[in-house]
Amino acid sequence: MTSATGTTDVVAVCAALGDETRWQVLTEVGRGEASASALAERLPVTRQAIAKHLAVLAEVGLVEPVRAGREVRYRAVGARLGLLARTLEAVGARWEERLAAIARLAESPPR
């Protein structure tokens, strides 16, 4: 469900990252592959809650499951985070351009 501009994707990814626990889960997975059980040992939430957070992160493409024997581990998907960073950087750059144009107008001598 992506719009032509990718706006839907950005909103979905930002919404997924808007939860502090989910952010902690992503940060831990970013340090290395981990199962829901391993993450539950590191974070103050249950394994079931971790599994739900991982499902949300996987749905928006921020993590992906990797089978390691009988265990399912998750790893961060850097490309997805990179795309989000570039999108936000472009928005920031456009705002800087607008602010610079306003500053030029405000500082120019009256005609």
Side-chain angles (χ1 to χ4, degrees), residues 3-105:
S3 69
T5 60
T7 303
T8 305
D9 274 356
V10 171
V11 170
V13 171
C14 288
L17 295 176
D19 183 278
E20 185 175 342
T21 301
R22 210 169 292 135
W23 180 255
Q24 290 174 330
V25 169
L26 181 61
T27 300
E28 287 297 322
V29 171
R31 293 185 175 120
E33 293 180 8
S35 66
S37 297
L39 291 167
E41 292 175 8
R42 296 182 219 161
L43 299 171
V45 289
T46 64
R47 194 200 76 69
Q48 290 80 9
I50 295 287
K52 290 180 181 177
H53 287 299
L54 285 167
V56 172
L57 292 170
E59 186 168 323
V60 296
L62 292 173
V63 299
E64 62 185 7
V66 179
R67 183 158 288 283
R70 296 176 59 187
E71 187 176 59
V72 176
R73 296 179 186 163
Y74 289 84
R75 66 176 164 210
V77 178
R80 188 75 165 152
L81 289 170
L83 176 62
L84 176 62
R86 287 189 299 278
T87 301
L88 294 176
E89 181 67 30
V91 170
R94 285 192 296 269
W95 271 101
E96 290 297 327
E97 289 172 11
R98 289 179 184 169
L99 289 175
I102 290 170
R104 282 191 301 275
L105 285 172

